[in-house]
Amino acid sequence: MSMLMLLIGALAGIALVAYGALAAPSPVKASQRRLEAVRLRHSQSTVVKVESQLRKAIDARRPRMHKLAGSSSRLDALALRLERTGRGWTVKQFAIATIVLVLLVTLIVFVQTGAALLALGLGIVAGAGIPHLIVGRLVTKRMNAFTAKFPDAIELLVRGLRSGLPVSETMNVVAREMPGPVGAEFRGVVERVKIGRSLDEALQVTADKLGTPEFQFFVISLAIQRETGGNLAETLSNLADVLRKRAQMKLKIKALSSESKASAWIVGALPFLVFAMIWWINPNYLAGFFAEDRLILTGMGGLTWMMLGVFIMSRMVSFEI
């Protein structure tokens, strides 16, 4: 056991050193990013504001390891993700739930197997993964609901503008009439305007909170129209049509990739299902994986490679528009 723990500690140390050497941020680039953020935030030029919105829209589509667009640290990114769920959860509640889950899974596995190292490892994996998966699923569900109803909200804005109402009043109508996350987010915009913030600032706060390209396009359209003039109702009507066609394309891609996703799920879940069935039928046959050091190390290595394969397959069948 001491040799196994020494080997695991050495591998973990090498991984930490490699991560620190390869993933450490450059001080010069970080300083340049801060200066650019200050310039974009405090500039009064509409062109600069549109450039800022375009960058945020691109950042919202770019995959991140632990940060999100609009956040400056991991805690800020976590708080932003919790806020996007619409459940009112806090970072403290998330941390308590994670710790409780780690202790619970560790205790259950240790009572069933008697392997302290395996129980602790599975507890940490479950505590670090399951809460994030739940939060990610809730965020995805809410963002999909927002994206599905957002073109209807824009059409309602268009009808209000064509009837002669100002933009702020039409947003108030959308906040009252639209259900779900769309109405809630527009109510937030209206409330910020009522307490004295400008419409641009209120929309920017919502755009940073949502992080969806669709809402960023909406904010960009408003900014361009205020600078160049023209028919805002026609511009928003065209935007609603583009968003509907974009949603239709997503559905087509989802239908075309459904077979590949089903294959990935089956291939990824089959080894774990077979392991569970054999353990249920004949536990003694697999008892060595919970007692012998070499089998524990082999099982952890196999589990790591299986998780890597599942991740690669999931990325292969994931498409962005």
Side-chain angles (χ1 to χ4, degrees):
M1 182 63 70
S2 60
M3 184 61 68
L4 175 62
M5 296 182 65
L6 182 61
L7 179 60
I8 294 176
L11 292 176
I14 294 173
L16 289 175
V17 171
Y19 177 80
L22 299 177
S26 172
V28 177
K29 292 183 178 180
S31 177
Q32 292 177 352
R33 285 194 297 268
R34 286 194 296 268
L35 291 175
E36 186 69 14
V38 171
R39 183 183 71 85
L40 295 175
R41 187 182 302 117
H42 296 285
S43 177
Q44 299 299 323
S45 173
T46 305
V47 176
V48 176
K49 291 182 179 179
V50 171
E51 179 186 355
S52 175
Q53 292 293 337
L54 286 172
R55 290 188 178 185
K56 289 179 179 294
I58 295 172
D59 288 339
R61 294 171 55 87
R62 189 177 300 161
R64 299 295 182 94
M65 293 176 59
H66 60 268
K67 291 186 179 181
L68 300 175
S71 63
S72 58
S73 66
R74 294 178 179 176
L75 288 179
D76 291 340
L78 179 58
L80 185 57
R81 290 189 69 211
L82 294 175
E83 187 178 4
R84 288 177 180 176
T85 60
R87 302 300 180 92
W89 294 339
T90 62
V91 177
K92 182 178 180 181
Q93 293 173 340
F94 182 85
I96 293 174
T98 301
I99 294 173
V100 170
L101 185 60
V102 169
L103 296 177
L104 184 62
V105 173
T106 301
L107 180 61
I108 292 175
V109 176
F110 180 74
V111 170
Q112 293 292 329
T113 63
L117 184 61
L118 177 65
L120 181 60
L122 290 179
I124 293 175
V125 171
I130 293 177
H132 283 284
L133 289 177
I134 294 175
V135 171
R137 181 64 61 86
L138 292 175
V139 170
T140 302
K141 182 179 178 181
R142 189 170 186 268
M143 292 301 103
N144 289 338
F146 180 89
T147 303
K149 294 294 183 181
F150 188 50
D152 297 335
I154 295 178
E155 290 290 348
L156 186 57
L157 279 171
V158 171
R159 289 194 293 270
L161 291 172
R162 286 175 177 172
S163 64
L165 295 175
V167 178
S168 57
E169 185 61 29
T170 54
M171 288 189 179
N172 195 9
V173 173
V174 173
R176 292 197 310 265
E177 299 296 332
M178 293 298 299
V182 176
E185 297 300 336
F186 273 91
R187 279 194 295 272
V189 174
V190 173
E191 290 173 357
R192 296 185 192 99
V193 173
K194 286 182 179 179
I195 63 176
R197 305 188 72 171
S198 65
L199 183 60
D200 291 340
E201 293 176 351
L203 289 172
Q204 185 59 55
V205 171
T206 304
D208 292 338
K209 175 185 175 182
L210 293 175
T212 59
E214 289 80 5
F215 199 85
Q216 297 286 358
F217 297 153
F218 172 69
V219 178
I220 291 170
S221 300
L222 292 179
I224 293 176
Q225 192 276 336
R226 279 192 296 272
E227 175 67 18
T228 61
N231 192 342
L232 178 59
E234 186 67 23
T235 302
L236 294 181
S237 179
N238 293 334
L239 176 62
D241 184 61
V242 170
L243 295 182
R244 291 185 191 279
K245 292 181 179 179
R246 190 169 184 265
Q248 292 175 359
M249 182 61 67
K250 283 185 177 182
L251 292 177
K252 290 181 181 179
I253 291 177
K254 183 178 180 181
L256 292 174
S257 62
S258 59
E259 182 179 356
S260 301
K261 289 183 179 180
S263 301
W265 275 103
I266 294 173
V267 173
L270 189 60
F272 302 100
L273 294 177
V274 172
F275 186 89
M277 291 176 61
I278 295 176
W279 189 17
W280 180 56
I281 296 172
N282 187 8
N284 294 327
Y285 183 77
L286 299 176
F289 281 96
F290 306 104
E292 190 174 347
D293 295 345
R294 292 176 297 176
L295 289 179
I296 292 176
L297 184 60
T298 303
M300 294 177 65
L303 181 63
T304 302
W305 281 110
M306 281 301 305
M307 294 176 63
L308 180 61
V310 170
F311 174 75
I312 293 175
M313 287 188 294
S314 66
R315 300 305 300 173
M316 290 175 63
V317 297
S318 178
F319 302 95
E320 288 289 342
I321 301 177

